[in-house]
Amino acid sequence: MELKDFLEEMDTGEEIEAGSECHLFMHGLSQEALRITAEMNNAYHTPEELVVLMRKLTGQLDFPSFGLFPPFYTDCGKNIHFGQNVFINSGCRFQDQGGIWIGDNVLIGHNAVLATLNHNPDPAKRGNLIPSRIVIGNDVWLGANVTVLPGVTIGDGAIIAAGAVVTKDVPANTVAGGVPAKVIKVIGDNYE
């Protein structure tokens, strides 16, 4: 299997059978991600060096205004897609096999978790994986310790309050918080 084939299969959202060619390819990608993130997280790197490491991790070549405070963790890396001017604070964990699409001018707070895989609920098939993309719009701010679950879209300009667990889509220009996250405020022109 080639990376292109793997990503295409992940994008279908179809269940990935445990032990299948796709599942085994995913494990190979995990080993590469572990190697790169270990290098990234276990020594000081300049911002420019972190961009080079993130390019290796994701395969995305264009990071002109990307910022990261390590440590950063992912068990794949190849299905993360960054817009311009993204900042990721320390301790974040991205499970990106199902795809993580991050828009422009996004701020991601400490210890955020973005998870794109579910397991089959049937105990006999529990090792099977169900991928589902996360989409984060432009100008979004995820507070510290936010968890975003598979299949969620966060609209442009939204704010996710610290500690929230986002299980459903969040409309643009709203503030969502809680467990599970609910819209608690609409962001007006005065940004209050």
Side-chain angles (χ1 to χ4, degrees), residues 92-153:
C92 292
R93 302 175 188 289
F94 289 12
Q95 180 195 52
D96 64 285
Q97 290 89 336
I100 296 174
W101 295 78
I102 300 172
D104 297 336
N105 308 310
V106 171
L107 301 173
I108 300 178
H110 293 89
N111 301 316
V113 174
L114 280 62
T116 65
L117 294 176
N118 273 317
H119 288 275
N120 187 310
D122 179 352
K125 298 179 181 179
R126 189 70 43 88
N128 293 0
L129 300 169
I130 304 165
S132 192
R133 176 182 296 183
I134 290 172
V135 177
I136 299 173
N138 297 324
D139 305 305
V140 170
W141 173 19
L142 303 182
N145 297 302
V146 163
T147 299
V148 181
L149 297 184
V152 167
T153 295

Side-chain angles (χ1 to χ4, degrees), residues 2-4 6-8 10-11 25-26 28-37 52-61 63 72 74-82 94-101 116:
E2 300 291 325
L3 179 59
K4 177 179 155 294
F6 169 77
L7 294 174
E8 285 174 2
M10 288 285 130
D11 283 346
F25 188 83
M26 185 185 309
L29 291 176
S30 294
Q31 293 306 304
E32 179 182 1
L34 289 170
R35 182 184 54 75
I36 295 168
T37 56
V52 169
L53 288 167
M54 192 59 83
R55 284 179 180 152
K56 282 185 193 176
L57 180 65
T58 65
Q60 184 175 340
L61 300 178
F63 285 93
F72 174 80
T74 182
D75 52 0
C76 182
K78 300 301 186 213
N79 211 1
I80 304 172
H81 309 272
F82 291 107
F94 289 12
Q95 180 195 52
D96 64 285
Q97 290 89 336
I100 296 174
W101 295 78
T116 65

Side-chain angles (χ1 to χ4, degrees), residues 10-91:
M10 288 285 130
D11 283 346
T12 69
E14 298 292 320
E15 188 167 331
I16 307 300
E17 189 173 322
S20 67
E21 180 182 13
C22 186
H23 193 243
L24 296 174
F25 188 83
M26 185 185 309
H27 282 284
L29 291 176
S30 294
Q31 293 306 304
E32 179 182 1
L34 289 170
R35 182 184 54 75
I36 295 168
T37 56
E39 181 180 351
M40 183 183 297
N41 296 334
N42 291 310
Y44 172 77
H45 297 283
T46 66
E48 296 78 17
E49 290 168 337
L50 288 171
V51 167
V52 169
L53 288 167
M54 192 59 83
R55 284 179 180 152
K56 282 185 193 176
L57 180 65
T58 65
Q60 184 175 340
L61 300 178
D62 187 21
F63 285 93
S65 54
F66 175 83
L68 171 69
F69 286 174
F72 174 80
Y73 304 95
T74 182
D75 52 0
C76 182
K78 300 301 186 213
N79 211 1
I80 304 172
H81 309 272
F82 291 107
Q84 302 294 317
N85 198 32
V86 171
F87 176 73
I88 300 172
N89 221 321
S90 64

